[in-house]
Amino acid sequence: MTTNEAMEKEMRQLIAGNWKMNGLAEEAAAIVGPLRSGANGLACDLLVCPPFTQIAPIAKILTGSAVAVGGQDCHTDEKGAHTGDISAAMLRDAGASWVILGHSERRQDHHESDALVHAKTKAAVAAGLTPIVCVGETEAQRAAGAQNDVVGGQLAGSLPAGFAGVVAYEPIWAIGTGKTATEADVAAMHLFIRETLVKLLGQTGGGIRILYGGSVRPANAGSLLAVPHVGGALVGGASLKSEEFLGIARAARV
Ligand code: PEP
């Protein structure tokens, strides 16, 4: 067995929920309540990333449980004149230990570049958060056979030296559409990402979890999570229903 294969075998999968701009106080509490006990005895790590306003109350509900809490974005600066923005230190202060960065919706809606994601990732690490850096191609880029160039460029541009967080591969055309990439496509891309991470980061790159994201549901989770180099799932829609989210978590590789 190679060092990379051994590292991969040791890895617990991570199932991360991205709530996006969903979750008022009452519904947020109703989603995470069942996760407290539901997380016991799972073979994977569990993380919920609610909107900023719900981080502190949810962190309180989940205190002492096996479920971690994360943010969905942070600013590059620690504090200052940035109206409406939230710093990594503020996420940490509110009870988050993780943060999603460079999600395709932020890259599209807020024109976030690889350079900006790189700076945010550095800020997150400096504040003690574990970053989940998202990459992924559009449908047109895949149709043109450019997916490896796109994802390779995003990894090279977004990950700072010494990166030791998590990467999420999310083909944009599979997010919230009900379409999922085929197992063969996921296998090919995750292998490419693993090789790229090793090239960029050396041995550390062999131990980084690479999540798959894009319309993951309990019904398709088992087959997607069994694909080599898949280190877990980043889940949007299905993370808003605790039973669906736990159903995905129960499908994690043992
Ligand atoms: C996401 O937004 O990260 C995502 C994967 O969404 P969905 O599961 O709804 O496709």
Side-chain angles (χ1 to χ4, degrees):
M1 197 185 291
T2 65
T3 317
N4 283 352
E5 280 166 353
M7 279 168 128
E8 198 95 35
K9 223 167 169 267
E10 294 284 296
M11 242 177 241
R12 254 168 91 84
Q13 290 187 315
L14 169 68
I15 308 299
N18 172 16
W19 290 14
K20 313 191 184 194
M21 200 172 69
N22 295 292
L24 299 178
E26 204 175 318
E27 39 182 343
I31 296 168
V32 290
L35 300 185
R36 270 196 71 95
S37 53
N40 290 335
L42 286 175
C44 61
D45 296 330
L46 216 55
L47 165 69
V48 289
C49 300
F52 293 132
T53 51
Q54 292 307 313
I55 289 175
I58 285 182
K60 199 168 169 203
I61 294 173
L62 292 174
T63 303
S65 80
V67 189
V69 182
Q72 300 173 14
D73 179 46
C74 69
H75 197 272
T76 54
D77 290 354
E78 209 181 316
K79 59 183 173 183
H82 303 291
T83 304
D85 282 317
I86 305 281
S87 73
M90 288 168 178
L91 290 179
R92 184 101 183 117
D93 189 46
S97 45
W98 292 75
V99 63
I100 298 170
L101 294 170
H103 190 280
S104 60
E105 286 154 14
R106 293 213 57 93
R107 288 180 186 264
Q108 280 174 348
D109 299 353
H110 298 271
H111 313 291
E112 293 198 0
S113 64
D114 292 333
L116 183 62
V117 176
H118 182 279
K120 288 184 174 195
T121 304
K122 281 175 87 167
V125 173
L129 298 175
T130 305
I132 300 178
V133 174
C134 302
V135 295
E137 80 286 358
T138 63
E139 196 155 29
Q141 288 165 334
R142 179 162 280 268
Q147 66 271 18
N148 286 8
D149 287 345
V150 171
V151 169
Q154 288 173 330
L155 290 169
S158 306
L159 304 184
F163 178 79
V166 169
V167 166
Y169 167 59
E170 299 203 301
I172 295 170
W173 46 272
I175 296 179
T177 58
K179 293 183 196 171
T180 38
T182 64
E183 285 163 43
D185 287 342
V186 175
M189 180 54 84
H190 279 242
L191 174 60
F192 169 73
I193 293 174
R194 170 68 67 226
E195 289 169 350
T196 306
L197 290 175
V198 170
K199 262 187 223 149
L200 290 172
L201 305 164
Q203 205 182 328
T204 319
I208 284 176
R209 287 185 280 194
I210 309 165
L211 313 185
Y212 170 77
S215 300
V216 179
R217 302 279 179 269
N220 60 20
S223 51
L224 289 164
L225 291 168
V227 172
H229 303 292
V230 170
L234 182 53
V235 184
S239 69
L240 294 168
K241 294 186 185 133
S242 37
E243 251 329 292
E244 285 203 23
F245 192 51
L246 286 171
I248 293 168
R250 286 186 206 108
R253 202 164 47 208
V254 181

